[in-house]
Amino acid sequence: MADWARAQSPAAVEEILDRENKRMADSLASKVTRLKSDSDFTSMTGLLTGSVKRFSTMARSGRDNRKLLCGMAAGLIVVFFILSYLLSRART
């Protein structure tokens, strides 16, 4: 034990060690949170990358797939406008 620790009472040493332990635990908790958010971001990036690759492959294939792709895009746009209209009506 260090000389400064021998000069102080056991309760004071325990308090100092407890404060240091809490500081280190908080630091570790913030690092874990940061790592979790990085992991979530990485998995979301992988999901989006896979979706873009599938979309590109489908767009590059034959004419029939292009018709299907345009129909799906138009359908999604219509669904978006219907949902936004319904949500605006529900708020008023």
Side-chain angles (χ1 to χ4, degrees):
M1 194 177 275
D3 290 335
W4 61 270
R6 285 188 207 137
Q8 296 181 3
S9 70
V13 172
E14 188 174 332
E15 183 181 332
I16 291 170
L17 291 175
D18 192 39
R19 270 191 271 147
E20 182 67 15
N21 190 26
K22 285 180 183 177
R23 184 188 66 78
M24 292 176 80
D26 290 342
S27 173
L28 182 61
S30 69
K31 289 177 183 178
V32 167
T33 302
R34 196 172 334 124
L35 285 173
K36 277 185 165 181
S37 67
D38 288 349
S39 175
D40 292 343
F41 180 74
T42 303
S43 66
M44 186 57 68
T45 302
L47 178 66
L48 290 174
T49 302
S51 297
V52 168
K53 284 180 183 178
R54 286 190 298 274
F55 183 81
S56 298
T57 302
M58 192 165 75
R60 275 182 276 163
S61 21
R63 183 176 172 89
D64 291 335
N65 282 341
R66 287 190 186 142
K67 287 180 183 178
L68 176 65
L69 184 63
C70 288
M72 286 175 50
L76 287 174
I77 291 171
V78 169
V79 168
F80 172 76
F81 282 115
I82 290 172
L83 287 175
S84 63
Y85 173 75
L86 291 174
L87 287 173
S88 68
R89 293 282 303 221
R91 289 183 187 157
T92 57

